[in-house]
Amino acid sequence: MTEPLLRDILQNHGLKATSQRLTILDYLMTHETHPTAEMIHADLTTISLATIYNTLEKLVDVGIVIVIDTQKDGKRHYDFYGEPHYHIINSRTNEIIDADNFDVKPLFEAARQASGLNITGFHIEIYGVDPDDAK
């Protein structure tokens, strides 16, 4: 990603564009692997693991990044939330798959009607197994 785009994303969410934030955000935007903090640290060895954790939490707090807690490994996986999408998690392999093939507007409207709240976002995780594994 270009640095001006990364800076804009951070600044639009009220964050200072530090070099660590720029690097970690770029990593998340260019890696669709839903990494853990440890996975990011393995690739970005010049940034301390503590800084990676702190940066990820700040990015989550402002809504740039979301956390995916999988059932199998018990670790927090991170994903850049630039475009609305949901996640399908293979319960056997722990693979996390991005998907955006349905219109969430009816879900938002149903949630608004049920709660009276203005719905501002969503995070959906769907779990499944390969049909051959279910036998």
Side-chain angles (χ1 to χ4, degrees), residues 2-3 18 24 41 60 77 79-81 94-95 97 104 132:
T2 67
E3 187 172 322
T18 65
I24 293 168
H41 184 252
V60 168
H77 294 258
D79 191 23
F80 171 67
Y81 195 67
N94 214 38
E95 177 187 14
I97 303 160
V104 297
D132 293 335

Side-chain angles (χ1 to χ4, degrees), residues 3 6-7 10 17-27:
E3 187 172 322
L6 296 169
R7 283 183 181 282
L10 291 170
T18 65
S19 64
Q20 292 92 344
R21 288 177 183 162
L22 291 166
T23 301
I24 293 168
L25 181 58
D26 180 60
Y27 183 92

Side-chain angles (χ1 to χ4, degrees), residues 16-112:
K16 200 170 164 183
T18 65
S19 64
Q20 292 92 344
R21 288 177 183 162
L22 291 166
T23 301
I24 293 168
L25 181 58
D26 180 60
Y27 183 92
L28 289 170
M29 290 176 74
T30 57
H31 291 76
E32 296 180 4
T33 57
H34 307 95
T36 63
E38 292 82 6
M39 293 166 68
I40 295 169
H41 184 252
D43 289 339
L44 303 177
T45 57
T46 60
I47 302 175
S48 75
L49 185 57
T51 298
I52 290 173
Y53 271 111
N54 291 334
T55 301
L56 288 170
E57 289 310 307
K58 183 57 79 175
L59 295 175
V60 168
D61 287 347
V62 299
I64 298 172
V65 170
I66 60 171
V67 174
I68 305 164
D69 290 321
T70 63
Q71 296 174 342
K72 187 170 183 173
D73 69 1
K75 295 183 180 181
R76 294 169 61 104
H77 294 258
Y78 296 89
D79 191 23
F80 171 67
Y81 195 67
E83 294 294 325
H85 63 279
Y86 66 98
H87 296 100
I88 305 165
I89 301 170
N90 183 320
S91 298
R92 187 182 62 77
T93 65
N94 214 38
E95 177 187 14
I96 302 168
I97 303 160
D98 286 330
D100 63 357
N101 60 343
F102 76 90
D103 181 7
V104 297
K105 289 177 190 152
L107 176 62
F108 280 16
E109 181 57 24
R112 188 193 63 71

